[in-house]
Amino acid sequence: MFSVKVRCFGLTTLIPGYFHGRVCAQDLFYNIVGRKTSTVTSDPVIIRVPRRVQDRVESVKQVKRKHLDQVATVKAGKLLIRSKNPLLNQSVSYTLGKFEEPVLTSKGWKNSKSFGDYFTINSTQSAPPFLPQTEEEHKRDGHGHRRTFGHLRLSAELVETLQGHDIIHPTSVQLQTIPKLLRGHNVLCAAETGSGKTLAYLLPVIHKLQEEMPQVAFGEQKTQAVVLVPSRELAEQVTSVARTMSRPFGLKVKVVGGGRGVGSIKAAFSNGQPHVLVATPGALLKALWRRFVDLSELRFMVVDEADTMFDPSFVDMLEKILRQTQVAANLSELTGPIRKSQLVVVGATFPGGVGELLDKVTDLGSLVTVKSRMLHHLMPHVKQTFVKVRGSEKVLELHQALKEAESDRKGVLVFCNSAATVNWLGYTLDEMGLRHARLQGEMPASMREGIFQSFQKGHVDVLLCTDIRFPGTRYAKSGVGG
């Protein structure tokens, strides 16, 4: 409690029903509250204020002062979004005010008058985000150098093979995934396309298989690693990388893809079972049912492109395969006379039901998750331009973009929604005199592979294609996509 002394002072006021003229404040107070006023007094009036009221008043003052100090401001920075309408431009460090509503750069695009509008999302860095750039991501050693694959305790032959292909430093995803697989963990890896997921699982698989090769007893060789992918194209690409990496150790790598008869699948195992088998789910099930392949000594089961493999069109086949695979629930099950296999699930996205299926074949608690920090984010090293055009003007706009890219000698990927659109657009570009190649799902697998290799080698600069994906492929030549 504290006291406030109130002394008598004069004031001129007009209060209906009370006083008119100059009165004493103390007498005014007593008359209002109905108490008798002493005519002769010299003692001050004491008003006592409880301590809790004082604390509350002070707390309110502090809160108001704090809010005033935190007023949101707009910080200018490098231009991130450049729009046809300059009022819709946005900077990298743009911060909305407290009562400011965000404005979409594509505002008004539903209006028919918006044809011709465009905006560009500029790149904010030159290198991909999955390449280590900060000191923490580099995990620098005592000499202050970025970590190489040699620091990950991979075999010297593997490191030399990587160096021969100008692959020196691991990506962020590889830095996290490879050590965990070498220690024997089951891994679920979620990372964006192009972040190095294929090498992230192939390198530890090949390293561990070559270590145990002398321990394999004489007799029939059995498959020790299986990589499941959803399409023949992906299987061929992964097989190419696996063969390159395993060549110094003499490991056999075979591929069996879907859409082929039993005879071609049987032929793949004519010279015995491979150490590493890359397969589509349908082809692997056929091989298992006819006992072309034996998974009793399997050490690794890899499910690549999980976003597609756990799709309803594949999930039933995938479950049948995983149920025939003994997946280790802990590290102790990886050793001993009856060893179980490690499970690796890789993808950019994971649809619902992944956990439900994996729970049927292993302990979910044994799965170690590796997630890229840029997953589901815009890639900051890629410049993107959006243009709203009429359907009849698409080809003209595309022709202009291809002409601009032609002078820079950059590869251009043009994605279409169907094989028929690829062919139609190809005929149109032929009439315009633009050299290009076409790639779509109705072509034989061998033809598709040859066409894509010609694009990679620079024999043609424009590739029209459907959404066929090639994991583990380095698009060093590609500069523009549509």
Side-chain angles (χ1 to χ4, degrees), residues 345-361:
V345 182
V346 180
T349 58
F350 290 87
V354 174
E356 182 180 350
L357 175 55
L358 295 181
D359 191 36
K360 297 178 182 179
V361 297

Side-chain angles (χ1 to χ4, degrees), residues 56-70:
R56 185 172 180 180
V57 172
E58 187 62 29
S59 176
V60 170
K61 290 180 180 179
Q62 291 179 0
V63 170
K64 288 183 177 180
R65 190 179 305 116
K66 185 177 181 181
H67 285 324
L68 289 174
D69 293 340
Q70 294 182 348

Side-chain angles (χ1 to χ4, degrees), residues 42 60 76 92 97 149 161 182 204 207 233 249 282-283 320 330 337 339 347 375 388 412 424 463:
S42 59
V60 170
V92 173
F149 283 98
T161 302
L182 290 177
H207 172 86
E233 290 74 29
F249 313 109
K320 292 176 183 178
N330 53 65
R339 298 184 299 179
L375 188 63
K388 184 176 181 182
V412 181
W424 172 81
L463 181 64

Side-chain angles (χ1 to χ4, degrees), residues 11-262:
L11 66 108
T12 303
T13 184
L14 176 61
I15 303 179
Y18 287 100
F19 302 96
H20 179 254
R22 188 174 181 83
V23 297
C24 174
Q26 180 176 331
D27 293 340
L28 176 62
F29 172 79
Y30 286 142
N31 278 276
I32 291 175
V33 299
R35 290 179 56 185
K36 183 178 180 180
T37 305
S38 176
T39 56
V40 180
T41 179
S42 59
D43 296 334
V45 177
I46 300 176
I47 302 175
R48 300 187 181 276
V49 181
R51 173 61 64 181
R52 63 178 180 275
V53 176
Q54 300 176 53
D55 295 340
R56 185 172 180 180
V57 172
E58 187 62 29
S59 176
V60 170
K61 290 180 180 179
Q62 291 179 0
V63 170
K64 288 183 177 180
R65 190 179 305 116
K66 185 177 181 181
H67 285 324
L68 289 174
D69 293 340
Q70 294 182 348
V71 174
T73 58
V74 176
K75 300 177 181 179
K78 181 181 178 181
L79 191 61
L80 176 63
I81 301 177
R82 181 187 298 276
S83 175
K84 180 180 179 181
N85 182 359
L87 297 177
L88 300 178
N89 290 350
Q90 295 185 20
S91 302
V92 173
S93 301
Y94 180 76
T95 305
L96 289 173
K98 183 177 181 180
F99 302 104
E100 187 179 0
E101 294 185 1
V103 179
L104 292 177
T105 308
S106 58
K107 181 181 179 181
W109 273 32
K110 291 184 178 180
N111 193 299
S112 59
K113 296 181 180 180
S114 63
F115 289 110
D117 285 358
Y118 62 87
F119 65 89
T120 298
I121 302 177
N122 293 316
S123 58
T124 57
Q125 62 186 54
S126 57
F130 42 78
L131 295 179
Q133 292 179 342
T134 65
E135 186 171 346
E136 292 183 0
E137 291 172 325
H138 283 172
K139 297 186 182 297
R140 297 178 182 274
D141 58 24
H143 301 287
H145 300 296
R146 283 173 53 184
R147 297 189 69 180
T148 65
F149 283 98
H151 293 96
L152 299 180
R153 298 184 177 180
L154 294 170
S155 66
E157 292 86 352
L158 269 178
V159 176
E160 290 177 3
T161 302
L162 290 168
Q163 290 175 347
H165 290 78
D166 198 26
I167 304 175
I168 310 298
H169 303 287
T171 65
S172 299
V173 172
Q174 292 163 354
L175 282 173
Q176 298 178 70
T177 305
I178 293 175
K180 292 178 175 59
L181 288 176
L182 290 177
R183 287 195 291 268
H185 294 290
N186 295 329
V187 173
L188 190 151
C189 177
E192 62 272 15
T193 301
S195 58
K197 297 189 294 293
T198 303
L199 283 179
Y201 66 75
L202 279 181
L203 292 177
V205 166
I206 294 172
H207 172 86
K208 296 190 81 170
L209 292 185
Q210 62 88 19
E211 276 189 332
E212 299 175 1
M213 280 188 67
Q215 303 175 15
V216 177
F218 291 101
E220 184 181 359
Q221 169 68 45
K222 296 182 179 179
T223 300
Q224 298 179 44
V226 169
V227 180
L228 285 176
V229 292
S231 69
R232 288 175 296 177
E233 290 74 29
L234 306 185
E236 293 288 349
Q237 287 290 320
V238 174
T239 301
S240 176
V241 178
R243 284 173 176 165
T244 301
M245 294 296 107
S246 60
R247 189 171 293 118
F249 313 109
L251 295 174
K252 291 193 298 182
V253 181
K254 293 288 183 68
V255 57
V256 289
R260 297 177 180 175
V262 177

